[in-house]
Amino acid sequence: MSNGIEYEIREMVSNILEVPVEKLTPEVDFFKDLNVDSLKAIEIVAAFEKKYRIIVPEDDIPKIRNLGQLIEYTKNVTS
Amino acid sequence: MKEKRRIVITGLGVIAPNGIGKQEFWQALKEGRSGIKAIKRFDTNEFKCKQAGEIQGFKPDAFLGTKGLRDLERTSRLLCTAAKLAIDDAGLNIDDNNTDDIGVSTGTTLSSIWNVAEFDKGAIHDGPRFTDAALFPGMVMNAASSQVSIRFNIQGFNTTISTGYSSSIDALKYAIDFIKLRRIKAVLVGGVESLSLVNYSGFYRLGFFAGIKGEEISCPFDKRRNGIILGEGAAVVMIEDVEHALERGATIYAHVNGIGNCFDAYRMGKYHPEVTGLKNSIKEAMSNSELGVSDIDYISASANSVPEQDRLETKAIKDVYGSYAYNIPVSSIKSMIGETFSAGGLFQIAASIGSMYKGFIPPTMNYEMRDDECDLDYVPNKSRITRINNVLINNYGPGGNNAAFILSKWN
């Protein structure tokens, strides 16, 4: 299940940011390393919310800066 | 006498239902090849009408690359591609030194409806908290025009004009005024519309389409005409102050010789019975050009196969030019690309540049049955090989917006 979620999220983010999956390591910073702007960040959040039918509280959004944190967050809220 | 400030066209990009790129488009017009066909983009089973001037086989990645393409909805893809072709054709290098001297002016009216509809569909199906955020930026009317500025780093100004049928000529006039005021040196002027189920359904429900009460055919000026066939696409021209163009050694296609626009709203969705606005637009364009009546070699008509539109345009031409009107060839390319609405005027300009450089008048296709109220020379069914120096381009519709533009060959 966890591996499934990891795969799904990596694919989703890779698709939105147009970054190959192999470059999307858990540590790479969305904002500093991948130049993600606010619009792209909202797009990731919206796609994530739609997929898992979860509303991400606004206060949680700035805490998610890389793929690892996003996967961790997903595991917590879906468990 | 104050010397007239000359504005010239130096670049052209076209994505039309019957040809991608200027050469393919011009060749199709010369051969009378239509881009009107059965719609593939959405299911037409529930409609009596089935056709449109749909652009099929268009691969934007071949022009724009794949990076960032997912952020562009169909209208932006069409406009950005036509803009790229126009910039390349003009040979204008845009960089930090000249970006503030270049602007973008776009005519479009229905372009964002697809995104609005998709967003709404998401809200209804998944709930308002789960809508697709990626669709939102493309929901505004100026999305496509803005994407051109973003993609090609054009920072002078960016404007979208949404005046329905006359949008792209109105956008051209806006750009011309900017150059005349010396606030800018070059402008990418575009017209774009894209086909969507929503606008197709809207025009259908209002009874605008050919095929509802007759044959499903675009046959301007023909007695059988019974409505429009919708078209889509983008056309973009680069216009410049002549000094700027000559300074950089640009190839000049044509010069802007006269332009006029006039509003004559009559009643909701009804044409003014005296077609006053179009007549005044033509008179204004003539008076601010250097031309007399006998200098007009060809009229590129706005006629779109709507009974009133084609009859009234014929009347306007005859009222303005008197008996000389019978000597001027008039044709409508909408018989081959459909009614592209806000993009129509720019397609007519793109076609007319071809007329000047390839020496032909595009035909009015599907012309078979004469109507006594439409009795001019409509260049029926076969292009005419002739020399063209000055073209009058008409643009109007039932909304009250009218525009006329005179394009002259650069010698």
Side-chain angles (χ1 to χ4, degrees), chain B residues 99-348:
Chain B
T99 180
D100 292 336
D101 295 328
I102 304 163
V104 180
S105 182
T106 304
T108 190
T109 303
L110 302 167
S111 58
S112 56
I113 290 182
W114 178 279
N115 273 42
V116 175
E118 287 299 306
F119 191 85
D120 247 8
K121 219 193 286 175
I124 293 162
H125 285 172
D126 304 320
R129 294 297 303 271
F130 296 104
T131 48
D132 186 350
L135 288 170
F136 194 63
M139 282 166 66
V140 290
M141 192 66 74
N142 62 341
S145 194
S146 303
Q147 291 291 358
V148 170
S149 278
I150 293 166
R151 187 163 276 264
F152 303 108
N153 182 31
I154 299 172
Q155 295 179 8
F157 74 88
N158 190 300
T159 291
T160 294
I161 308 269
S162 299
T163 47
Y165 290 91
S166 65
S167 299
S168 55
I169 301 290
D170 291 338
L172 175 66
K173 182 147 193 320
Y174 187 87
I176 288 169
D177 289 346
F178 248 84
I179 295 177
K180 281 185 178 166
L181 290 167
R182 293 180 183 266
R183 288 172 63 184
I184 210 91
K185 289 178 180 166
V187 186
L188 272 181
V189 184
V192 64
E193 290 293 3
S194 59
L195 193 65
S196 77
L197 178 60
V198 185
N199 58 37
Y200 195 83
S201 169
F203 277 110
Y204 183 86
R205 297 280 292 151
L206 290 173
F208 267 61
F209 282 163
I212 297 173
K213 289 180 192 156
E215 198 179 336
E216 191 179 356
I217 191 169
S218 178
C219 54
F221 305 113
D222 185 292
K223 202 170 175 61
R224 299 166 300 157
R225 67 192 188 277
N226 67 98
I228 60 166
I229 287 188
L230 210 56
E232 66 170 354
V236 175
V237 290
M238 176 77 79
I239 67 164
E240 295 180 56
D241 183 299
V242 70
E243 286 168 21
H244 183 258
L246 292 172
E247 216 170 79
R248 67 181 192 87
T251 303
I252 296 174
Y253 279 124
H255 81 103
V256 170
N257 207 347
I259 191 161
N261 48 13
C262 185
F263 188 58
D264 69 347
Y266 181 62
R267 283 185 199 131
M268 184 79 179
K270 299 264 186 232
Y271 293 89
H272 193 294
E274 286 304 312
V275 65
T276 318
L278 181 60
K279 285 194 281 197
N280 287 342
S281 301
I282 298 172
K283 285 176 192 165
E284 188 186 341
M286 287 298 291
S287 71
N288 62 41
S289 76
E290 311 144 344
L291 306 175
V293 172
S294 61
D295 293 321
I296 299 295
D297 301 311
Y298 161 55
I299 296 175
S300 172
S302 191
N304 58 7
S305 206
V306 168
E308 280 298 87
Q309 169 124 349
D310 303 6
R311 180 183 72 78
L312 288 168
E313 185 167 6
T314 300
K315 176 178 164 53
I317 293 167
K318 290 197 288 191
D319 286 356
V320 173
Y321 292 105
S323 59
Y324 193 79
Y326 291 94
N327 299 320
I328 311 173
V330 179
S331 76
S332 172
I333 62 167
K334 292 178 188 176
S335 57
M336 291 175 269
I337 63 168
E339 176 53 86
T340 56
F341 203 46
S342 292
L346 248 301
F347 275 120
Q348 288 168 251

Side-chain angles (χ1 to χ4, degrees), chain B residues 321-394:
Chain B
Y321 292 105
S323 59
Y324 193 79
Y326 291 94
N327 299 320
I328 311 173
V330 179
S331 76
S332 172
I333 62 167
K334 292 178 188 176
S335 57
M336 291 175 269
I337 63 168
E339 176 53 86
T340 56
F341 203 46
S342 292
L346 248 301
F347 275 120
Q348 288 168 251
I349 292 174
S352 300
I353 292 172
S355 287
M356 288 172 179
Y357 281 85
K358 300 281 179 180
F360 73 98
I361 297 175
T364 302
M365 295 305 290
N366 305 317
Y367 185 90
E368 281 176 17
M369 201 179 285
R370 183 187 149 91
D371 176 353
D372 287 343
E373 291 189 288
C374 297
D375 58 351
L376 297 173
D377 169 10
Y378 299 119
V379 195
N381 303 317
K382 200 168 179 293
S383 58
R384 192 172 297 165
I385 306 303
T386 184
R387 186 181 296 190
I388 301 288
N389 287 315
N390 303 300
V391 180
L392 170 75
I393 291 162
N394 288 339

Side-chain angles (χ1 to χ4, degrees), chain A residues 15-18 39-40 42-43 46 49-50 53-55, chain B residues 66-71 126 129-134 137:
Chain A
N15 187 31
I16 292 171
L17 300 184
E18 298 182 85
L39 207 60
K40 285 282 172 199
I42 288 166
E43 203 183 323
E49 289 179 332
K50 193 172 175 177
R53 306 297 290 182
I54 292 165
I55 298 295
Chain B
T66 51
K67 184 81 179 162
L69 208 56
R70 67 180 299 282
D71 297 331
D126 304 320
R129 294 297 303 271
F130 296 104
T131 48
D132 186 350

Side-chain angles (χ1 to χ4, degrees), chain B residues 66-112:
Chain B
T66 51
K67 184 81 179 162
L69 208 56
R70 67 180 299 282
D71 297 331
L72 306 184
E73 82 309 341
R74 183 172 177 84
T75 313
S76 295
R77 290 175 178 202
L78 291 168
L79 189 67
C80 285
T81 304
K84 183 181 180 354
L85 292 175
I87 294 167
D88 291 350
D89 194 35
L92 181 63
N93 184 36
I94 302 167
D95 56 28
D96 289 346
N97 295 319
N98 65 0
T99 180
D100 292 336
D101 295 328
I102 304 163
V104 180
S105 182
T106 304
T108 190
T109 303
L110 302 167
S111 58
S112 56

